[in-house]
Amino acid sequence: MVLWVLGFLIALGPFSIDMYLPGFESMAREFNTTKAEIGLSLTSFFIGLGIGQLIYGPLMDKFGRKKPLYIGLIIYVVAAISCLYSPTLNWLIGSRFLMAMGASAGMVASKAILRDLFPAKEVARAMSMLMLIVGVAPIIAPTIGSMVTANFTWHYIFLVLALFAAIIFAGVFFFLPESIQPDKTVRLRFKKIVSKYRGIFVDKVFFTFAISNSLTVGALFAYIAHAPVLFMDVYGFTHLQFGWLFSINAAGLILGSQINRWILKRYSVFRISIFNSVLLVILSFLLLLSGYVFSNFYTTFILLFLILFLLGFQNPNTTALSLDPFEKKAARASALIGGLKMTFGALTSYFISEFSSASLLPLAIILVVCFVISSALLFRFQKKEKRALIGIGR
């Protein structure tokens, strides 16, 4: 039951992203703007997730995991109701930011509690188990969003999200144990917090795998931000058809994460990560070539499915590797990697929103850049830190 609650906590963020994507067209009509401008509410959500995680990290080290988590879930519910009654696009963008600030508590707590309860070598396997739960979100969320938009209005999507968060609150209260005791020695002074985060960031292991992971997450969020334009504007699908297409691709992400659990029994986390990084680079270049040559739907769809399939391996593995050195600082390390992920996600989604056209090329270019740099970091680590590899990715 604990893993289910942790999975729902992590899933709250992705669910909040994917469920309202089918409503972009309706939102654009109501606010008399474009889907690209509506995408700024996605960017504000990523920014909120990034900032929020950095705030909750020290709070959860000082006060324990559950008390700050309760506060975050309450903020989320209030912000979701605010989205429900948004009179303007700017109001929606601001409310989405507050939603993210609430959701970020669950993202920090889930990874920190996972690190609290499981030995380091089991974290990657447990993370893959959570990915099974998390992966359900992008499969069913767009479909639910499409059904709500078709039968009611996009506003009611946020009512469903508020109810979902309330159920999670109950699950945390009744089923989730407090995994650490509050630490009164933790200081919440700004300079002290920044110093602690800096100490984690400059760790060679953390830096390599956190940045590598954040780049692949940035690529994933670029896909999420561009998917409504790509499938509905470029290829002409309805919002309901878009929900199904998005769900099929998301199923690839789940499939990869579950196969990863099996492969981890035979190969090291690092070996799997570096092999997949090469495959991601190859697939992204094929996608870019496809965009330049003919941009056929079937080719695009298959390549994106394969990319998401490999991200099902890559994201839990590089996350686990980045957390490997930190047993006593799990919440802060979790918060920092979460903040980095959302920073890259905000940058890529902003780029897509501001410079996107009805074309595959903007997405393909971002994927190539993210995957090439991510892979280069892993190969650089392999070359320079061979001794560290003896004790990493067990």
Side-chain angles (χ1 to χ4, degrees):
M1 182 59 73
V2 169
L3 282 178
W4 280 98
V5 176
L6 294 178
F8 286 139
L9 283 170
I10 296 181
L12 185 59
F15 213 90
S16 305
I17 294 167
D18 301 330
M19 190 171 171
Y20 93 126
L21 293 178
F24 269 34
E25 188 172 353
S26 299
M27 293 178 191
R29 284 199 303 268
E30 180 167 331
F31 293 126
N32 193 27
T33 185
T34 64
K35 286 195 285 290
E37 289 295 316
I38 297 296
L40 292 176
S41 65
L42 194 59
T43 301
S44 72
F45 192 85
F46 293 147
I47 294 172
L49 284 179
I51 295 174
Q53 289 182 81
L54 294 176
I55 293 173
Y56 285 112
L59 290 176
M60 288 184 181
D61 280 338
K62 183 175 179 64
F63 299 109
R65 311 307 191 203
K66 292 185 71 171
K67 289 181 180 178
L69 181 55
Y70 288 142
I71 294 172
L73 290 171
I74 291 171
I75 291 173
Y76 180 95
V77 171
V78 172
I81 294 172
S82 178
C83 289
L84 172 65
Y85 293 106
S86 294
T88 65
L89 176 57
N90 287 335
W91 184 288
L92 177 66
I93 291 171
S95 297
R96 288 284 293 172
F97 174 83
L98 291 177
M99 275 185 75
M101 292 288 286
S104 60
M107 300 179 76
V108 174
S110 54
K111 293 193 291 291
I113 292 172
L114 198 68
R115 187 64 184 87
D116 294 337
L117 298 179
F118 292 88
K121 64 181 180 181
E122 295 295 327
V123 171
R125 291 191 184 98
M127 188 72 72
S128 290
M129 177 59 189
L130 293 191
M131 286 296 292
L132 175 61
I133 304 170
V134 174
V136 173
I139 287 181
I140 67 173
T143 304
I144 295 173
S146 297
M147 293 171 63
V148 171
T149 303
N151 292 284
F152 302 97
T153 67
W154 63 265
H155 302 81
Y156 285 88
I157 290 173
F158 295 102
L159 178 60
V160 175
L161 289 171
L163 293 173
F164 181 50
I167 293 170
I168 293 174
F169 186 99
V172 170
F173 184 82
F174 288 109
F175 300 112
L176 194 65
E178 177 56 80
S179 58
I180 67 164
Q181 292 300 314
D183 187 352
K184 295 181 180 179
T185 64
V186 175
R187 298 286 180 256
L188 297 180
R189 290 193 297 269
F190 180 75
K191 288 185 178 180
K192 190 73 172 179
I193 292 172
V194 172
S195 176
K196 291 290 185 181
Y197 276 130
R198 182 182 180 279
I200 296 171
F201 183 73
V202 298
D203 181 272
K204 291 180 180 179
V205 174
F206 180 87
F207 178 85
T208 297
F209 297 112
I211 298 299
S212 178
N213 177 264
S214 298
L215 284 162
T216 57
V217 169
L220 175 62
F221 286 167
Y223 159 74
I224 291 172
H226 195 56
V229 175
L230 182 64
F231 290 125
M232 289 192 279
D233 290 352
V234 177
Y235 296 121
F237 291 97
T238 66
H239 61 78
L240 189 59
Q241 291 170 327
F242 162 75
W244 285 107
L245 290 170
F246 194 89
S247 297
I248 292 170
N249 272 342
L253 190 71
I254 295 184
L255 181 62
S257 69
Q258 298 315 296
I259 294 176
N260 182 53
R261 294 175 62 202
W262 176 73
I263 293 181
L264 281 168
K265 297 177 181 178
R266 302 185 61 184
Y267 302 101
S268 73
V269 184
F270 181 80
R271 187 175 179 184
I272 297 170
S273 299
I274 202 164
F275 178 75
N276 280 348
S277 74
V278 175
L279 295 180
L280 285 168
V281 169
I282 294 171
L283 288 172
S284 63
F285 270 107
L286 289 175
L287 189 69
L288 180 61
L289 180 63
S290 171
Y292 270 114
V293 177
F294 48 81
S295 189
N296 175 269
F297 164 73
Y298 294 103
T299 303
T300 299
F301 187 73
I302 290 170
L303 288 173
L304 286 174
F305 179 88
L306 292 174
I307 287 171
L308 283 156
F309 171 74
L310 291 177
L311 289 179
F313 292 78
Q314 204 72 350
N315 289 339
N317 288 347
T318 49
T319 297
L321 288 169
S322 66
L323 294 175
D324 192 73
F326 304 102
E327 183 173 358
K328 295 182 178 180
K329 302 177 182 177
R332 294 188 199 189
S334 171
L336 184 54
I337 190 172
L340 289 169
K341 288 179 182 181
M342 295 309 122
T343 298
F344 281 84
L347 288 173
T348 56
S349 65
Y350 175 78
F351 180 86
I352 285 288
S353 297
E354 288 296 304
F355 305 104
S356 177
S357 59
S359 165
L360 173 63
L361 289 178
L363 175 61
I365 291 170
I366 289 177
L367 296 187
V368 167
V369 172
C370 288
F371 292 150
V372 167
I373 299 175
S374 176
S375 183
L377 285 169
L378 296 182
F379 276 99
R380 178 176 176 273
F381 184 86
Q382 184 185 46
K383 181 179 180 180
K384 292 194 173 185
E385 305 293 334
K386 290 183 178 179
R387 290 184 181 180
L389 288 173
I390 297 174
I392 205 166
R394 293 174 287 272

